[in-house]
């Protein structure tokens, strides 16, 4: 749903490509070894102990593979810190056990900023089509195709603001402001949950972003 998520998916595909190459090669080597060195086929083992060329190859090749994986990985990691001049800034605050949100961009110095709490809807109050343990009473509503900045903190213990489909996961730490950029490419509803063990009702503080 976001460029960040697309980057994560692309990196995953790159790593799986190397993984498949390695699995195929290792299985081929094991099969070949078991076939050629079977006790019936080759009863007298060879006396060779070292092979310099092959030892260099099996040291250098994995190193090169790691470098090839590292380049896109670091690019993605550093792009997580890049916040393009955002149109909207939202502050998400983790509480035991609910989230609260502040939209303070458009308030004057003496105005009250837009602040609301977002609680999970209990099973008894769910309407048809609403998702159990994921639906909230007040959604975080944001514009699509807009650069957003999320400032994330906590009021009591460690929480983590995570929406997998947006490629967003950021720790909410008391006394500290963490920030992540979000750019949602399409309209829709995106679900997440607190993903830092934060106490008895940890499983009951979902996140719902409506773009």
């Amino acid at each position: 749903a976001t460029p960040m998520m697309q980057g994560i998916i692309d990196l995953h595909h790159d790593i799986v490509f190397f993984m498949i190459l390695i699995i195929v090669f290792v299985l081929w080597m094991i099969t070949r070894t078991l076939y050629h060195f079977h006790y019936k086929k080759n009863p007298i083992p060879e006396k060779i102990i070292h092979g310099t060329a092959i030892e260099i190859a099996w040291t250098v090749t994995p190193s090169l593979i790691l470098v090839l994986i590292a380049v896109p990985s670091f690019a993605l990691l550093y792009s997580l810190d890049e916040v393009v001049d955002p149109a909207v800034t939202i502050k998400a605050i983790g509480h035991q056990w609910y989230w609260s949100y502040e939209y303070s961009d458009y308030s004057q110095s003496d105005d009250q900023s837009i602040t609301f709490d977002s609680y999970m809807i209990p099973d008894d109050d769910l309407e048809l089509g609403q998702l159990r343990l994921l639906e909230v009473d007040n959604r975080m509503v944001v514009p699509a195709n807009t650069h957003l900045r999320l400032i994330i903190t906590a009021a009591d213990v460690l929480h983590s603001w995570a929406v997998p489909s947006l490629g967003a996961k950021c720790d909410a730490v008391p006394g500290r402001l963490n920030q992540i950029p979000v750019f949602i490419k399409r309209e829709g509803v995106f679900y997440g949950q607190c993903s830092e063990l934060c106490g008895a009702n940890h499983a009951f503080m979902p996140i719902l972003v409506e773009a």
Side-chain angles (χ1 to χ4, degrees):
T2 62
M4 200 60 64
M5 192 65 218
Q6 195 58 51
I8 293 167
I9 291 167
D10 291 342
L11 178 65
H12 173 262
H13 290 171
D14 292 345
I15 292 171
V16 168
F17 168 74
F18 287 111
M19 190 180 78
I20 290 168
L21 284 183
I22 291 164
I23 288 169
V24 169
F25 176 71
V26 169
L27 286 174
W28 175 75
M29 287 292 289
I30 290 171
T31 309
R32 186 178 159 86
T33 305
L34 290 172
Y35 175 76
H36 284 294
F37 292 90
H38 192 265
Y39 72 97
K40 288 181 180 172
K41 191 171 179 66
N42 193 22
I44 302 166
E46 294 291 338
K47 293 290 192 285
I48 298 169
I49 298 168
H50 293 288
T52 308
I54 196 169
E55 285 175 12
I56 291 169
W58 76 41
T59 305
V60 171
T61 309
S63 306
L64 292 175
I65 291 171
L66 287 175
V67 169
L68 285 171
I69 291 172
V71 171
S73 174
F74 283 132
L76 185 64
L77 198 62
Y78 284 109
S79 71
L80 285 167
D81 292 332
E82 289 296 318
V83 179
V84 181
D85 187 29
V88 182
T89 300
I90 301 131
K91 187 177 180 185
I93 305 159
H95 302 265
Q96 286 180 310
W97 286 273
Y98 63 95
W99 292 96
S100 59
Y101 297 96
E102 290 180 13
Y103 295 68
S104 50
D105 277 356
Y106 308 107
S107 55
Q108 304 302 317
S109 58
D110 53 350
D111 286 354
Q112 190 89 30
S113 60
I114 302 165
T115 306
F116 60 90
D117 297 332
S118 179
Y119 286 89
M120 185 188 79
I121 296 179
D123 290 358
D124 298 341
D125 299 334
L126 286 173
E127 294 174 10
L128 194 64
Q130 291 186 328
L131 299 179
R132 179 178 170 272
L133 300 184
L134 288 173
E135 199 65 45
V136 297
D137 55 0
N138 293 311
R139 298 175 170 187
M140 182 183 120
V141 181
V142 294
N145 292 308
T146 306
H147 288 286
L148 312 171
R149 171 171 51 201
L150 260 152
I151 294 174
I152 295 161
T153 188
D156 36 48
V157 298
L158 291 175
H159 297 278
S160 183
W161 197 90
V163 182
S165 53
L166 302 181
K169 186 174 188 177
C170 185
D171 286 346
V173 183
R176 180 187 171 96
L177 293 176
N178 288 330
Q179 73 167 13
I180 49 168
V182 175
F183 183 91
I184 304 174
K185 293 196 287 188
R186 63 177 174 83
E187 293 176 9
V189 178
F190 306 93
Y191 295 90
Q193 289 175 304
C194 173
S195 45
E196 184 71 59
L197 197 57
C198 60
N201 290 339
H202 160 68
F204 309 113
M205 50 181 298
I207 297 155
L208 211 163
V209 179
E210 184 178 341

